[in-house]
Amino acid sequence: MANVIIKSLHTGEKLQVAKDELIHQVQHVEKKTFPRREAMDFTTELQKRNMDLVIIVDDAGLSTPARPRMVAYMVFVHLKAGNAVLLHKICVSEGYRRRGIARIVLEIQAERLKKQGCTKIQLWVDEGNIPARRLYKVLGLEEVSRVKDYYAVGRTGIQMLWGFSSV
């Protein structure tokens, strides 16, 4: 079973809130944001043991833990080849975009992964996704390869790597 980690947007602390409600929100945003062939089936994916689903919650003024608001989510896959993970997906909810949230949560999760012995994070990004590529470059990821038609005909995929020494 996947590891579902729920964190506060404001404190970064782990939260104990309605996990099922948040997973439902993740599925809704996933379907709205990504083309059908790129959207994850979380019902199936959450059965995998090598996966982490990190959900960031806006808990400011939250009157009841039963109705948290999902801000962003990330999916990490722990690779068999040693101390590496694949950032399979990152998505920020529409109302929270362009606020630096993706950068903050990626930095926090990279620190968590480093403490667990991870030495590199790899990911694929669509060549046409300029905001994501800019973010990854600022964080220090390096472009290591390109694959033409990786996502679809005419959509080149760029493989990027974020390497660091373990703590």
Side-chain angles (χ1 to χ4, degrees):
M1 181 67 93
N3 188 20
V4 179
I5 304 161
I6 302 168
K7 291 200 165 195
S8 165
L9 172 65
H10 305 286
T11 66
E13 298 295 319
K14 281 190 177 181
L15 298 174
Q16 297 297 323
V17 294
K19 182 171 76 171
D20 292 340
E21 169 64 23
L22 287 169
I23 291 171
H24 178 73
Q25 290 178 37
V26 165
Q27 290 172 315
H28 178 74
V29 170
E30 178 81 4
K31 287 178 184 175
K32 278 180 55 176
T33 305
F34 295 97
R36 183 180 295 191
R37 69 182 172 277
E38 293 174 23
M40 291 183 78
D41 174 7
F42 283 93
T43 305
T44 302
E45 295 298 321
L46 289 176
Q47 301 304 312
K48 297 179 180 177
R49 295 183 339 157
N50 67 332
M51 188 180 104
D52 286 346
L53 170 60
V54 180
I55 304 172
I56 309 303
V57 175
D58 186 351
D59 58 332
L62 190 63
S63 59
T64 172
R67 299 294 284 155
R69 189 174 330 134
M70 190 273 301
V71 172
Y73 63 93
M74 297 176 283
V75 176
F76 291 97
V77 177
H78 297 266
L79 303 175
K80 291 179 183 176
N83 299 334
V85 297
L86 171 69
L87 173 58
H88 184 62
K89 180 115 12 169
I90 181 168
C91 183
V92 177
S93 294
E94 201 168 337
Y96 290 89
R97 293 180 185 155
R98 315 275 321 148
R99 297 185 190 181
I101 291 170
R103 179 180 181 166
I104 292 166
V105 298
L106 278 170
E107 288 172 339
I108 290 169
Q109 289 311 114
E111 283 303 313
R112 179 183 72 85
L113 290 166
K114 279 196 268 187
K115 286 178 183 173
Q116 294 175 353
C118 178
T119 58
K120 64 182 171 182
I121 298 173
Q122 65 177 343
L123 61 85
W124 286 89
V125 62
D126 190 316
E127 182 179 51
N129 189 342
I130 302 303
R133 289 177 59 202
R134 190 176 304 128
L135 167 66
Y136 301 145
K137 192 108 176 146
V138 166
L139 288 171
L141 280 89
E142 296 181 30
E143 186 177 313
V144 293
S145 68
R146 291 172 174 260
V147 175
K148 186 179 178 198
D149 302 331
Y150 179 84
Y151 289 99
V153 174
R155 292 180 59 205
T156 297
I158 300 173
Q159 183 184 27
M160 300 187 81
L161 184 64
W162 193 3
F164 35 81
S165 55
S166 59
V167 174

